[in-house]
Amino acid sequence: MPSNTFTADNLMKPFLQLVAEDIQQRFGQDLSEIAIVFNNKRPITYLKKYLSEVYGQAIWSPQFFTIQEFFKQATDKTDASALRQFFYLYEIHNELLQQEGREPESPEEFYPIAELILSDFSQLDYELVAVDQIYTELYDTGKIDLEFQHLTPEQQGYIRQFWQSFSMAGHTCVQQRFLQLWKRLPQLYSRFKVRLAQEKQTNYPTLYRELAEGRATKQQFIAPYKKVLFVGFNALNRVESTLFKRWQDEGKALFYFDTDAYYVEDTMQEAGLFIRRNVSQLVNSLGEAPHVIGQRRDDIHLYAALGRVSQAKLLYQILEKNEQEGKSSAILLADESLLVPLLQSLPAIKVNITTGFPLMQSPLYGLLDLWLTVQEEVSWRKKDKLPYPLIESFLSHPLIKIASEQKNSIQKEVLDKQLFEVGLDVLQISSAVVPDFFAPVAESKALIPTMVAMLEKLQESTSSEGIALQIDYTLLFETRRVLQQLLLGMDQIGPLNIPFQIGLIRKALMPISAAIEGDPLQGVQIMGLLESRSLNFDHVYILGANEGILPKTTNSPTFLPDNLRRAYGLPILANQDALSAYIFYRHFQYSQSIHLFYNSIVDENSSGEESRFIKQLAFESQFNIVHHTQQQPISFPVQESELVIEKTGKIWDNLYNNYLRDKTSHISATGFTTYLQSPLQFFLKHIAGIKEPPSVSQEFEINNLGSIIHEVMEKIFTPYRGMRDFVATKRLEENIPQIETMVVQEIGHQYHTTYETAADLNSLQRIMLQIASAYIRMYLEYDIEQYQSFRIIELENSEDYYLDLPITVQGKTEYIKIYGIIDRIDEVVTQDGEVKTRIVDYKTGADKVAFKKAKNKTDEESAETVFALTEGTNDIHKALIQTLFYTYVFEEKTGLRNLEPHLYVARRMREDGTLFVSKDMGALEGDYLREQKEEFVGFLRKTLEEIFDPTVPFKHKADMHVYPSDPYTLFYRNSVMEGLDYNSED
């Protein structure tokens, strides 16, 4: 007679070893008529190992099953795939809608609802709930009392709470739609079951229910077995409880529950919830629950990691110290998304990972998802252009292996033309593994076959090189298999549109993973926490032991609210908590050492707290929780020295020769203001020749906008250039209707293509069209309103305005060539009849006409550090300085005087005007303008002499504003503030 009591010798034995020993005592040598059933496949290998050790000789092996494999013996029907079930449900639902006089729904509309309905139907079947009853339309509490007399008062109360939420006085639109669906569900359920039967198909929930209700095709399938042993079960649904009890009463079944008195006998312990239910009607063949957890005083190591990924980094150190030959170890992932960082952090040890490397975290998924996105654009929306980021993702993907020459050619064309969207004609790819990646599919039914063909090419490419990395190759194989199954299901249904197929494909790809095979009995086993049921290890490492993850705090979506679920005994969040608690606690019965890791950082994805299960153990048990806090050493990096470029050696030779001796280089207004903002940037751009890296920006390009406006304004005024007589500004009204057409054509010119109408533009270009057209219209309308007539003297001349300016360099007079591109020089007659000669600069950014003067108070000579600053900031007033620069060059070259600088800032010109204004001195005109021009020339000469002063190095001015988009920021990061004090001064 077998022993059913635990002794001191077997307290620390693994659960499956105890099962193996009990099997030997009960059944002796012949196990051929014994069936052993588990919740999953993982424990089968371990039980076989223990049986071989216990018997020590060859025996007739028992038959091993998972619970679903075992129940599947009760039917000859084929399995209905998830896709097939959806379409059955979809067709039936539309039939019911038509009977109600409603419009049928499309597959895309119904699919999310169908998933919830099928999930709810499954739970109702597993829990043997009367479908007609739970979906009964009840509003009167009297009806509840009458029809649900068999329920407890508490259960009846839950039902009242549910229906009282639907007021008799009137329903909201959402409530009405819910009630209509609710009323439809009993018929949907019954017709769905009939349809499955007609097709001679089934699903597991249907099979389970038929078995419990005695309607299965092979109701007595259990008869050939002498005994059926159910090992390691915990949370049983009502079907399993019913069948297990029946088979136990018939003498056909034995049960092995892995238990401990610590959580079984204490009714407050949620970990024992299901075991207490089970042992109340099913006998545990291992006898009474042992007292192990409650008597242990061992150390449990708890590690507070500084971040989610840091848990894996901490584990590396622990594994190196702890791993010993002859000891079993397991890394259990409460948070399975930690698998990839874990694999990247493991020391050189043997591992077996049946959790599987997820496809969604692999480069392959990125490529497949990219292809689906492309097909949605080119095959469904019929686009002949694609956003550049999609192209960039393709060109840089490691699995594509495109030739560098072709990659560079495509990138060059895109950059040269600044193509935000790339035409399919540009993407003529011949050298990649998948050259037809961007080709649209001919018809919707070709989508999956085309994808399968692409996977075959990728698989051939991987294997032909001899790399055949296990993970990549397995993922390719598994993905092909899943897609071929999906294709088979679709072929039997009929044509589906491309977006719906893409949605199904993405859903089918999500669970795919590649097992990283090793020895399941040797090395470190890596698995999800749920997979560890029935298994025991000497060393256990649990990652992701955070509150909110262990246990999870969210329920699966459902149409069955919590109060109804409680009333009918359906699974609720508390059940999930109890199962998680049980799986967690059972490792404390056998493992010699346990190490728990959690993320102690609080962020949007982490509570920063260890699981409450750990806190409960610390408070209630005799375990000693040893806390370890990851210490991140606070090390301040050595401050790198500031980048300062001395004007010596080749640098001085280059500067002097190019600008002063040979005059192959010159200084523009833009270069001048660059120096004022940052002498270091001036050196990098204009002396060292370090240019900004080319890029295609999806953001709004202000430079392109400015170029377009300047070009269109030039075209508008060019016909008036050189006329002796003044032209009435009213003539400009003739140009206003043509503005949009001119802007469209100029946008095409800027992007090296031809556009005729706004319809040819992409979305970003259309925004640019609207802004540019509005700004140009404002400029013209301003001129019409403010002036009677005008005469154009000069327009956008980039050739004639070079000037040799004398400066003093090392005590000698040298000549530096400066130049400016003049936007517009004109003479205008104001509404008062005054004639003015103006220099006009167009601005599209946030420039202002207001300025202030700045002096450095620490300088005893009170020399101006900057000629002018923008009002309200410490930034140089680039627009004023550049305009005065242009004015000086023009006046010196032409001999004309009294040019009045005007700034056309579209955003504020109606409110602020176009004349520069000093807060203290007023508008920059008349005598004040003449004074400031003289002062500016001195400032210009002094600054240019500083550029060529060998004693003044090129260094960044740390107090100047640096824009986030500035590509030279890396060079400024160690700049030192000089302590300049800027104050407003007249």
Side-chain angles (χ1 to χ4, degrees):
M1 183 71 182
S3 169
N4 289 332
T5 59
F6 282 82
T7 67
D9 294 331
N10 64 17
L11 281 179
M12 297 300 290
K13 287 183 181 178
F15 166 65
L16 292 180
Q17 182 178 342
L18 298 177
V19 172
E21 291 174 355
D22 190 81
I23 290 173
Q24 183 195 40
Q25 292 179 27
R26 287 180 185 274
F27 303 107
Q29 302 297 311
D30 189 1
L31 304 181
S32 59
E33 296 180 356
I34 302 297
I36 302 178
V37 183
F38 289 97
N39 246 319
N40 62 336
K41 286 183 176 293
R42 188 89 185 220
I44 293 175
T45 301
Y46 288 83
L47 183 56
K48 287 180 178 179
K49 166 183 174 286
Y50 289 122
L51 285 172
S52 67
E53 291 176 355
V54 168
Y55 279 92
Q57 62 184 39
I59 58 169
W60 290 105
S61 174
Q63 298 181 57
F64 295 93
F65 302 94
T66 64
I67 185 68
Q68 291 190 334
E69 290 171 345
F70 186 68
F71 281 4
K72 192 70 175 64
Q73 297 174 90
T75 185
D76 291 325
K77 296 176 182 177
T78 59
D79 289 330
S81 68
L83 188 61
R84 173 66 62 178
Q85 291 180 59
F86 161 72
F87 275 100
Y88 289 160
L89 203 68
Y90 169 68
E91 291 169 4
I92 296 166
H93 186 254
N94 273 349
E95 290 171 6
L96 293 173
L97 286 176
Q98 288 175 337
Q99 290 175 13
E100 297 172 15
R102 302 178 185 278
E103 289 293 320
E105 295 180 351
S106 67
E108 296 86 349
E109 292 174 313
F110 185 61
Y111 190 79
I113 300 172
E115 287 189 300
L116 296 186
I117 292 173
L118 286 170
S119 174
D120 286 346
F121 283 177
S122 297
Q123 291 190 357
L124 296 176
D125 282 340
Y126 285 136
E127 300 300 334
L128 296 176
V129 174
V131 175
D132 287 338
Q133 194 175 73
I134 195 170
Y135 290 125
T136 297
E137 194 172 349
L138 295 175
Y139 304 102
D140 186 351
T141 56
K143 288 186 179 181
I144 294 175
D145 295 335
L146 181 64
E147 298 207 20
F148 295 92
Q149 295 179 41
H150 60 288
L151 299 181
T152 66
E154 183 183 28
Q155 290 173 314
Q156 291 182 27
Y158 287 134
I159 295 175
R160 286 193 189 93
Q161 288 175 23
F162 171 66
W163 286 112
Q164 284 169 1
S165 66
F166 295 90
S167 167
M168 290 296 292
H171 301 135
T172 67
C173 180
V174 173
Q175 287 176 324
Q176 287 175 353
R177 290 186 62 187
F178 177 79
L179 289 174
Q180 289 162 2
L181 176 63
W182 193 266
K183 192 173 183 179
R184 202 179 297 135
L185 288 176
Q187 292 185 72
L188 192 59
Y189 175 88
S190 59
R191 292 192 188 188
F192 175 68
K193 297 297 182 181
V194 169
R195 181 67 180 274
L196 284 176
Q198 289 172 345
E199 301 290 339
K200 295 184 179 179
Q201 293 181 328
T202 190
N203 56 17
Y204 280 109
T206 302
L207 175 59
Y208 270 52
R209 187 167 201 139
E210 288 175 349
L211 266 173
E213 294 176 352
R215 298 183 288 109
T217 309
K218 299 178 181 179
Q219 192 66 33
Q220 300 304 317
F221 79 96
I222 197 173
Y225 302 107
K226 180 179 176 181
K227 279 283 194 234
V228 181
L229 315 183
F230 293 92
V231 179
F233 284 79
N234 176 254
L236 303 179
N237 57 48
R238 203 164 292 162
V239 169
E240 291 167 339
S241 296
T242 301
L243 292 173
F244 288 4
K245 181 67 168 66
R246 182 188 303 166
W247 292 333
Q248 177 180 263
D249 294 344
E250 292 171 357
K252 297 291 290 184
L254 292 176
F255 303 93
Y256 293 88
F257 297 115
D258 188 8
T259 64
D260 189 273
Y262 179 80
Y263 52 78
V264 172
E265 295 177 1
D266 183 354
T267 57
M268 296 299 292
Q269 290 285 352
E270 55 196 333
L273 175 66
F274 294 111
I275 292 294
R276 288 191 290 273
R277 288 183 189 173
N278 296 341
V279 298
S280 66
Q281 60 175 350
L282 302 174
V283 177
N284 187 358
S285 297
L286 293 179
E288 296 296 324
H291 293 265
V292 177
I293 295 178
Q295 296 177 7
R296 292 188 66 176
R297 294 176 171 80
D298 305 89
D299 290 342
I300 295 175
H301 296 272
L302 178 64
Y303 301 86
L306 297 176
R308 180 175 154 274
V309 175
S310 294
Q311 298 173 73
K313 305 298 181 186
L314 270 177
L315 177 61
Y316 176 94
Q317 303 168 10
I318 311 304
L319 282 174
E320 281 197 318
K321 293 179 183 177
N322 284 13
E323 284 312 294
Q324 305 169 19
E325 289 294 327
K327 298 292 184 180
S328 61
S329 299
I331 301 171
L332 308 180
L333 302 176
D335 178 1
E336 296 192 12
S337 68
L338 284 169
L339 177 62
V340 173
L342 172 62
L343 294 179
Q344 295 169 343
S345 306
L346 287 173
I349 56 175
K350 292 181 180 179
V351 295
N352 177 54
I353 311 170
T354 54
T355 297
F357 188 97
L359 171 67
M360 291 188 68
Q361 296 186 41
S362 72
L364 176 60
Y365 180 80
L367 186 63
L368 297 179
D369 187 63
L370 176 63
W371 186 80
L372 291 172
T373 301
V374 167
Q375 291 305 317
E376 199 163 9
E377 295 295 316
V378 301
S379 298
W380 175 248
R381 297 192 176 98
K382 304 300 182 185
K383 296 284 187 69
D384 58 0
K385 294 180 179 179
L386 292 169
Y388 177 67
L390 295 183
I391 313 305
E392 191 175 31
S393 297
F394 171 80
L395 294 175
S396 60
H397 200 283
L399 293 177
I400 290 300
K401 302 171 186 171
I402 186 171
S404 58
E405 297 82 5
Q406 191 162 34
K407 176 181 177 181
N408 294 338
S409 173
I410 293 172
Q411 288 177 329
K412 184 177 186 303
E413 182 166 0
V414 170
L415 290 169
D416 288 347
K417 296 183 178 180
Q418 283 294 293
L419 299 176
F420 300 117
E421 292 184 325
V422 183
L424 297 183
D425 57 325
V426 177
L427 302 172
Q428 301 299 318
I429 296 166
S430 57
S431 62
V433 174
V434 191
D436 52 354
F437 188 88
F438 296 100
V441 295
E443 51 186 340
S444 63
K445 67 179 183 181
L447 185 70
I448 295 181
T450 304
M451 195 172 187
V452 171
M454 181 174 68
L455 288 168
E456 289 172 354
K457 291 178 182 177
L458 290 168
Q459 204 163 4
E460 289 170 7
S461 168
T462 304
S463 59
S464 65
E465 293 181 2
I467 301 174
L469 295 174
Q470 185 180 1
I471 296 175
D472 288 343
Y473 200 79
T474 305
L475 285 174
L476 284 163
F477 179 82
E478 279 297 306
T479 305
R480 279 182 59 193
R481 183 184 64 80
V482 168
L483 289 177
Q484 284 165 342
Q485 288 179 348
L486 189 60
L487 179 61
L488 183 62
M490 289 184 178
D491 286 344
Q492 297 171 354
I493 291 160
L496 299 171
N497 68 38
I498 286 175
F500 185 56
Q501 287 188 63
I502 288 175
L504 292 177
I505 291 169
R506 285 196 168 112
K507 187 169 284 293
L509 296 180
M510 286 174 63
I512 295 176
S513 63
I516 304 173
E517 297 295 342
D519 188 338
L521 301 175
Q522 296 292 328
V524 177
Q525 306 297 308
I526 300 177
M527 65 187 80
L529 195 58
L530 189 63
E531 290 180 275
S532 68
R533 287 177 294 183
S534 302
L535 304 180
N536 301 111
F537 303 93
D538 297 319
H539 301 298
V540 169
Y541 310 90
I542 299 179
L543 298 185
N546 275 81
E547 184 63 25
I549 296 175
L550 181 66
K552 291 181 179 176
T553 55
T554 55
N555 247 331
S556 300
T558 175
F559 280 124
L560 299 168
D562 185 73
N563 43 22
L564 275 190
R565 301 180 78 84
R566 291 177 184 275
Y568 285 93
L570 293 167
I572 55 175
L573 191 60
N575 298 146
Q576 185 174 299
D577 291 355
L579 179 59
S580 297
Y582 170 75
I583 295 170
F584 176 75
Y585 272 86
R586 60 173 299 279
H587 288 289
F588 293 85
Q589 297 165 216
Y590 304 97
S591 299
Q592 295 175 14
S593 71
I594 295 181
H595 301 261
L596 310 173
F597 300 79
Y598 74 98
N599 175 14
S600 64
I601 301 298
V602 179
D603 57 31
E604 63 274 11
N605 299 314
S606 170
S607 64
E609 292 185 71
E610 68 270 35
S611 167
R612 65 175 180 268
F613 299 157
I614 300 172
K615 293 180 179 179
Q616 289 167 5
L617 274 176
F619 183 73
E620 298 168 352
S621 74
Q622 299 183 69
F623 282 109
N624 177 38
I625 308 294
V626 180
H627 294 266
H628 304 268
T629 301
Q630 185 181 17
Q631 298 296 330
Q632 190 70 34
I634 301 175
S635 58
F636 296 97
V638 177
Q639 179 68 37
E640 296 180 25
S641 59
E642 180 182 7
L643 179 58
V644 177
I645 307 297
E646 300 290 344
K647 298 171 186 173
T648 57
K650 289 185 177 180
I651 292 175
W652 170 255
D653 292 342
N654 191 347
L655 178 66
Y656 182 84
N657 294 339
N658 290 344
Y659 284 90
L660 300 178
R661 190 188 72 182
D662 302 331
K663 293 184 171 53
T664 55
S665 298
H666 40 256
I667 293 178
S668 65
T670 302
F672 184 69
T673 52
T674 297
Y675 180 83
L676 294 176
Q677 282 189 300
S678 173
L680 179 59
Q681 188 184 116
F682 175 85
F683 166 79
L684 296 169
K685 291 177 73 170
H686 300 287
I687 311 246
I690 300 175
K691 303 300 182 185
E692 298 180 18
S695 65
V696 176
S697 173
Q698 284 295 101
E699 298 178 0
F700 192 80
E701 288 282 359
I702 198 70
N703 290 342
N704 288 337
L705 178 64
S707 299
I708 291 165
I709 289 173
H710 277 76
E711 292 295 331
V712 173
M713 290 295 291
E714 180 184 3
K715 288 175 182 176
I716 289 173
F717 282 102
T718 294
Y720 308 108
R721 182 179 181 180
M723 288 185 176
R724 289 187 174 184
D725 298 329
F726 282 86
V727 179
T729 53
K730 289 289 184 183
R731 287 271 300 274
L732 296 175
E733 292 178 349
E734 299 171 6
N735 299 101
I736 291 177
Q738 304 167 15
I739 290 174
E740 183 170 306
T741 301
M742 296 176 74
V743 172
V744 168
Q745 292 172 351
E746 185 56 36
I747 290 174
H749 178 73
Q750 291 289 324
Y751 292 101
H752 305 271
T753 187
T754 301
Y755 295 137
E756 297 297 336
T757 68
D760 298 331
L761 307 181
N762 62 35
S763 55
L764 191 65
Q765 291 166 343
R766 290 180 186 180
I767 295 172
M768 195 177 293
L769 167 64
Q770 295 301 316
I771 296 174
S773 299
Y775 280 12
I776 294 168
R777 189 176 294 108
M778 285 183 210
Y779 294 156
L780 297 181
E781 289 174 349
Y782 182 85
D783 284 341
I784 294 169
E785 292 170 5
Q786 298 295 321
Y787 305 107
Q788 297 181 35
S789 57
F790 68 94
R791 188 168 69 87
I792 297 298
I793 299 173
E794 187 62 273
L795 279 178
E796 299 286 349
N797 190 330
S798 60
E799 297 178 1
D800 298 333
Y801 296 99
Y802 288 84
L803 178 67
D804 287 328
L805 178 67
I807 60 174
T808 301
V809 178
Q810 294 181 307
K812 294 195 316 180
T813 299
E814 301 278 1
Y815 289 87
I816 176 68
K817 183 179 288 187
I818 62 174
Y819 87 106
I821 301 175
I822 314 298
D823 284 357
R824 171 175 151 198
I825 307 287
D826 63 15
E827 280 186 311
V828 294
V829 179
T830 68
Q831 298 296 354
D832 298 330
E834 183 183 359
V835 178
K836 290 188 173 186
T837 306
R838 307 184 310 160
I839 181 167
V840 176
D841 193 13
Y842 308 117
K843 293 295 182 183
T844 56
D847 296 270
K848 298 177 181 179
V849 293
F851 70 95
K852 64 179 179 179
K853 299 304 294 296
K855 290 183 182 292
N856 181 357
K857 289 190 174 182
T858 63
D859 192 332
E860 293 179 0
E861 297 179 1
S862 297
E864 279 110 355
T865 56
V866 176
F867 177 75
L869 301 176
T870 301
E871 183 66 46
T873 73
N874 280 340
D875 286 341
I876 67 169
H877 200 302
K878 289 176 64 175
L880 174 58
I881 293 173
Q882 289 178 359
T883 306
L884 288 175
F885 188 101
Y886 299 143
T887 302
Y888 173 69
V889 171
F890 184 81
E891 289 184 341
E892 290 299 307
K893 289 291 289 185
T894 64
L896 290 175
R897 292 292 183 266
N898 301 319
L899 260 72
E900 192 174 86
H902 283 250
L903 190 69
Y904 276 35
V905 182
R907 300 181 189 183
R908 301 193 56 82
M909 59 193 298
R910 292 190 184 278
E911 296 86 355
D912 299 343
T914 59
L915 278 172
F916 290 97
V917 178
S918 167
K919 182 178 179 182
D920 300 310
M921 299 298 294
L924 191 61
E925 58 183 346
D927 292 340
Y928 183 49
L929 173 60
R930 282 189 289 274
E931 174 191 323
Q932 293 305 304
K933 282 183 180 179
E934 292 177 7
E935 188 176 321
F936 174 75
V937 174
F939 169 71
L940 172 63
R941 183 173 279 109
K942 184 173 182 297
T943 304
L944 292 173
E945 289 174 350
E946 181 182 287
I947 293 176
F948 295 95
D949 184 346
T951 66
V952 180
F954 293 112
K955 59 183 293 186
H956 180 65
K957 295 181 179 179
D959 56 317
M960 287 296 178
H961 179 71
V962 176
Y963 292 93
S965 58
D966 187 342
Y968 297 92
T969 306
L970 180 67
F971 298 100
Y972 315 149
R973 60 184 178 184
N974 300 312
S975 298
V976 178
M977 183 75 73
E978 292 285 347
L980 295 178
D981 180 19
Y982 292 107
N983 288 304
S984 181
E985 188 178 300
D986 56 21

